Amino acid sequence: MRVIVVTSGKGGVGKTTTSAAFASGLAMRGFKTAVIDFDVGLRNLDLIMGCERRVVYDIINVINDEAKLTQALIKDKHCESENLYVLPASQTRDKNALTESGVEFVLSELEHMGFDYAVCDSPAGIEHGAVMALTFADEAIITTNPEVSSVRDSDRILGILQSKSRRALNGSEPVKEHLLLTRYSPKRVEEGEMITYKDVQELLRIPLLGVIPESESVLQASNQGIPTIHLKGSDVAEAYTDMVARFLGEKLPLRFVTYEKPGFIKRLLGGK
Amino acid sequence: MSRSAPVRSIEFHPFNLSALRVVLDRADPAGLADELHKMLGGRPDRFSGEAAILDFSALETLPARIDWNGLTSLLRRYCLQPVGVYAVDEEHAAAARNKASLALFEHLDATPVSAPAPRASATTVSPFSLAAPDSASPPQADLPFEPSAAAPLVAGASVAPTLYIDRPVRSGQQVYAHGGDLVLLAGVSPGAEVIADGNIHCFGPLLGRALAGARGNAQARVISTHFSPELVSIAGVYRTFEQGVPEAFAARAVVVRMKSANGSGQTISIDPLQLD
């Protein structure tokens, strides 16, 4: 089983949206996948995945032996393949209840259950929860917005990954790092309000896994509890589908990174 | 079985010593003890057993007698190891050798005494200043030495190990090359800090803080292939770039070094490097 942490340092850049879409994408490719919310006290993944009404037990219950892992895992209903499970965070417990040995136990149980991937949705910041989410990671998806503070925070979290992950402490092969740019607006990049993806990549110096365009459909999907990758025909869904394919080793050109001025007719009709 | 070379039980090899130069402008242990206490706030852990050379060049006239035992035990109390004296006459040198086993150093290929050591720079009026760790040539002894004997490098105390960093140094990370040079092969991000007692060589973008000669070596340099740091410092003299890095060397290859300006002040000079 591969453990993948979706992290960023900064809040609001799209970690949970990415975790939901990425885990769904892996499941749609036929991999048995679990997506785990590490944001104890501020859980959101269950909302984005649209399973908030089915939460009975959470990861803290499993760690404290108050529930079995199979009882806490919620099967996702959006994927027809039926191999995506959500493990919610606790909304009420203290975040220190998330212990390192507890997380290790949950991950080893998932491995025994035959999961191919565990996607860890990290909370914002660099505190306990974020460190727990990345401790056991084999790979990391660094979610970054095209603006300086997000890039700086991503750099910071890359440093923590290099110093606090289990792979770093063991001295084994370092965590494989991927850059994912989210909320990318080619128009605002063209106008000089945002940093280009090339500049971000130059600053962070890790391989680019994909660019997800800024889109209103993300908000709509979140409100409805549908992972964005299921929004058939939308730019966001296609960008996430490409990103999953690149993660699995396919070579695809980048899309949605250039701005095309709307034509005359489109402007008349009020298109954006 | 024939042995190729006779193994000697004792061998002599020339060796350059790296030591701290303790510049005194008075020689009485009691007065110096007070001064040291004031300077270091009674912190005996400021040093960690570095070799020290007592430099009397700042004294206009030496007192007739110097309390060598008092001086050495004072320095030992602050975890310095006195090994020699500099700028004393023959009579004093003989006394230092006999009473406190201190060797006479005739040359110190040294930085000027005015070079302020980091953190001690505020006390330039004190009779006690700590100059940079220097390379000092020990007195030339006419010992029989056979260069042909395949001399294994004597545990290279003067050749401090270079620290190589292969991955980018990220924001919030700090790398310190104790005693030696630091070679960075993947750049330094903004918000990261790289420090070396020797030189810093940075390949790739240098965007964070770079402090060379951290223990006062004013000869240290920062060499960078892509220069856009937040701060550079040589031996405690630093420069920030509030208005941005000047265009003449922003994102260029440069070398940063200490330049002695007129008078006592010292500044840092940044010069572009021609790489191709």
Side-chain angles (χ1 to χ4, degrees):
Chain A
M1 185 179 76
R2 297 290 282 178
V3 179
I4 299 140
V5 61
V6 178
T7 187
S8 70
K10 195 173 186 298
V13 295
K15 285 181 296 295
T16 304
T17 302
T18 296
S19 300
F22 177 62
S24 301
L26 288 174
M28 287 154 76
R29 288 293 196 105
F31 295 103
K32 191 170 180 185
T33 306
V35 55
I36 308 169
D37 193 348
F38 276 79
D39 205 347
V40 173
L42 287 170
R43 77 170 191 222
N44 273 320
L45 181 67
D46 51 327
L47 287 170
I48 306 290
M49 296 294 298
C51 63
E52 74 276 11
R53 292 177 187 282
R54 289 189 285 148
V55 174
V56 181
Y57 297 109
D58 55 54
I59 185 170
I60 303 296
N61 293 132
V62 178
I63 288 174
N64 290 348
D65 209 13
E66 296 154 353
K68 290 211 159 51
L69 181 57
T70 44
Q71 293 175 292
L73 285 172
I74 304 168
K75 188 191 267 186
D76 173 69
K77 285 186 172 170
H78 303 288
C79 284
E80 288 163 14
S81 50
E82 298 198 346
N83 50 8
L84 176 61
Y85 292 82
V86 181
L87 182 56
S90 169
Q91 184 71 329
T92 50
R93 298 298 185 90
D94 183 73
K95 61 181 184 335
N96 292 324
L98 200 63
T99 59
E100 190 171 312
S101 57
V103 174
E104 191 167 20
F105 166 75
V106 168
L107 290 172
S108 70
E109 286 287 291
L110 287 172
E111 179 145 34
H112 284 142
M113 290 166 70
F115 278 89
D116 297 306
Y117 289 105
V119 177
C120 303
D121 179 25
S122 170
I126 53 173
E127 303 302 322
H128 182 73
V131 174
M132 282 303 110
L134 61 77
T135 297
F136 298 98
D138 300 306
E139 306 193 33
I141 295 175
I142 310 297
T143 314
T144 308
N145 288 168
E147 45 113 1
V148 282
S149 63
S150 176
V151 173
R152 170 74 63 95
D153 290 359
S154 295
D155 197 67
R156 183 88 171 86
I157 207 82
L158 280 164
I160 291 171
L161 211 51
Q162 282 168 27
S163 58
K164 295 199 176 164
S165 64
R166 188 53 73 86
R167 281 175 174 267
L169 296 174
N170 285 347
S172 49
E173 197 185 322
V175 177
K176 195 172 171 190
E177 300 152 343
H178 307 274
L179 173 63
L180 180 72
L181 268 173
T182 52
R183 312 191 65 167
Y184 194 80
S185 166
K187 179 167 179 279
R188 298 184 65 187
V189 169
E190 183 128 307
E191 288 163 357
E193 294 171 25
M194 282 183 172
I195 317 175
T196 70
Y197 71 91
K198 284 180 186 145
D199 285 347
V200 176
Q201 203 189 353
E202 205 163 281
L203 283 164
L204 292 177
R205 283 158 283 147
I206 55 175
L208 183 64
L209 192 59
V211 177
I212 312 296
E214 172 83 306
S215 165
E216 286 179 12
S217 50
V218 172
L219 189 63
Q220 289 163 16
S222 300
N223 287 339
Q224 292 167 35
I226 304 168
T228 46
I229 201 166
H230 294 298
L231 299 176
K232 290 277 175 289
S234 73
D235 289 359
V236 176
E238 294 198 11
Y240 273 121
T241 308
D242 284 4
M243 168 232 175
V244 172
R246 284 193 204 101
F247 180 83
L248 296 171
E250 294 173 29
K251 298 256 181 288
L252 294 173
L254 279 181
R255 293 198 276 169
F256 317 113
V257 290
T258 49
Y259 174 59
E260 284 160 30
K261 287 207 168 76
F264 179 67
I265 307 276
K266 210 171 177 186
R267 266 185 285 161
L268 275 187
L269 297 173
K272 288 189 202 75
Chain B
M1 208 169 102
S2 66
R3 250 191 272 172
S4 53
V7 178
R8 291 191 201 83
S9 53
I10 185 161
E11 289 189 37
F12 297 97
H13 300 283
F15 178 70
N16 279 335
L17 173 74
S18 175
L20 205 65
R21 200 163 135 215
V22 181
V23 184
L24 306 171
D25 77 357
R26 61 196 289 180
D28 60 310
L32 290 169
D34 288 348
E35 196 64 41
L36 256 185
H37 186 80
K38 246 188 279 170
M39 267 174 78
L40 303 178
R43 270 184 57 212
D45 55 350
R46 168 68 174 79
F47 301 101
S48 45
E50 289 98 330
I53 295 166
L54 302 177
D55 180 351
F56 290 89
S57 58
L59 264 83
E60 282 182 9
T61 49
L62 289 172
R65 291 195 61 229
I66 294 177
D67 179 1
W68 293 109
N69 278 326
L71 280 179
T72 50
S73 60
L74 170 66
L75 293 181
R76 286 207 191 95
R77 211 153 59 231
Y78 283 90
C79 296
L80 283 170
Q81 180 60 53
V83 296
V85 291
Y86 173 66
V88 292
D89 54 43
E90 270 177 37
E91 210 173 305
H92 280 103
R97 187 169 53 242
N98 295 335
K99 293 193 173 140
S101 308
L102 297 175
L104 174 66
F105 284 76
E106 279 164 350
H107 321 276
L108 295 178
D109 38 330
T111 46
V113 177
S114 60
R119 269 159 265 153
S121 55
T123 56
T124 42
V125 286
S126 89
F128 211 100
S129 70
L130 300 163
D134 282 323
S135 239
S137 312
Q140 288 297 316
D142 289 319
L143 295 169
F145 172 69
E146 237 181 40
S148 61
L153 261 179
V154 182
S158 70
V159 188
T162 300
L163 181 61
Y164 296 92
I165 305 290
D166 297 315
R167 312 192 71 192
V169 184
R170 302 289 184 181
S171 176
Q173 290 185 312
Q174 191 193 57
V175 177
Y176 186 1
H178 282 277
D181 281 13
L182 179 57
V183 177
L184 303 147
L185 297 168
V188 178
S189 294
E193 190 167 60
V194 291
I195 310 170
D197 291 337
N199 307 295
I200 294 176
H201 314 252
C202 181
F203 299 84
L206 174 60
L207 308 177
R209 300 153 63 89
L211 298 93
R215 276 198 292 170
N217 179 8
Q219 306 295 313
R221 297 179 181 191
V222 175
I223 298 149
S224 162
T225 60
H226 179 121
F227 184 77
S228 286
E230 296 166 329
L231 176 149
V232 278
S233 158
I234 306 285
V237 179
Y238 65 87
R239 174 154 175 200
T240 55
F241 300 93
E242 206 177 323
Q243 309 299 325
V245 178
E247 236 173 68
F249 34 78
R252 300 260 180 84
V254 305
V255 58
V256 184
R257 66 193 123 195
M258 182 85 93
K259 182 177 74 180
S260 295
N262 309 339
S264 58
Q266 281 179 317
T267 54
I268 280 179
S269 74
I270 304 171
D271 303 298
L273 282 177
Q274 195 66 42
L275 288 189
D276 39 33

